[in-house]
Amino acid sequence: MVDTLGLLLGVMVTSADIGDRAAAKALLAQVADAHHRLELVWADGGYTGSLVEHCLAALALVLAIVKRSDDTRGFVVLPKRWIVERLFAHLMRTRRLARDYERRTTSAEAMIYWSMTMIMTRRLARSHPARV
């Protein structure tokens, strides 16, 4: 889960037998506890259904589903979805995350946090031109 700048708010790596919606409930609860000002969450079409109601009732979060238009053909950049895809691209530049080397989900999560820490420190270290 990332914010609008593409900075990591939370991550959850699960085994293959856990569905995305079930994992999303746990991740959303974890992130909502850590970030109290969070009100709106954008998600793709895979998170429709009871998760939308669960977010509103249990977590007081509005889960907005970003869907692709039915009459659109070919590749189309979806609003807000590109932020997550950009983060995936940044994370895949870390060689350890390019393949599934980890045996435990906790070590995989740690590698994602480590990679994101490197990305954020590089952003902070960039020289910015003086503002007038």
Side-chain angles (χ1 to χ4, degrees), residues 9-76:
L9 296 177
V11 64
M12 179 176 288
V13 177
T14 61
S15 59
D17 63 341
I18 298 176
D20 288 345
R21 289 185 191 137
K25 283 184 182 180
L27 179 62
L28 285 168
Q30 175 187 351
V31 171
D33 285 341
H35 304 280
H36 301 289
R37 294 180 57 194
L38 188 65
E39 296 177 3
L40 175 65
V41 177
W42 289 295
D44 67 357
Y47 297 97
T48 57
S50 63
L51 185 60
V52 177
E53 289 84 24
H54 171 76
C55 284
L56 195 55
L59 305 172
L61 292 174
V62 175
L63 184 66
I65 305 298
V66 178
K67 289 188 177 181
R68 181 183 155 132
S69 176
D70 291 335
D71 46 323
T72 306
R73 300 193 85 109
F75 175 76
V76 176

Side-chain angles (χ1 to χ4, degrees), residues 69-90:
S69 176
D70 291 335
D71 46 323
T72 306
R73 300 193 85 109
F75 175 76
V76 176
V77 177
L78 297 176
K80 306 303 177 192
R81 177 70 183 161
W82 66 271
I83 298 169
V84 177
E85 297 298 334
R86 182 182 60 187
L87 174 71
F88 289 155
H90 287 309

Side-chain angles (χ1 to χ4, degrees), residues 93-107:
R93 283 194 271 165
T94 305
R95 184 193 295 181
R96 184 109 181 224
L97 294 175
R99 299 277 185 254
D100 292 329
Y101 293 118
E102 311 305 323
R103 292 179 184 232
R104 302 179 146 246
T105 57
T106 53
S107 62

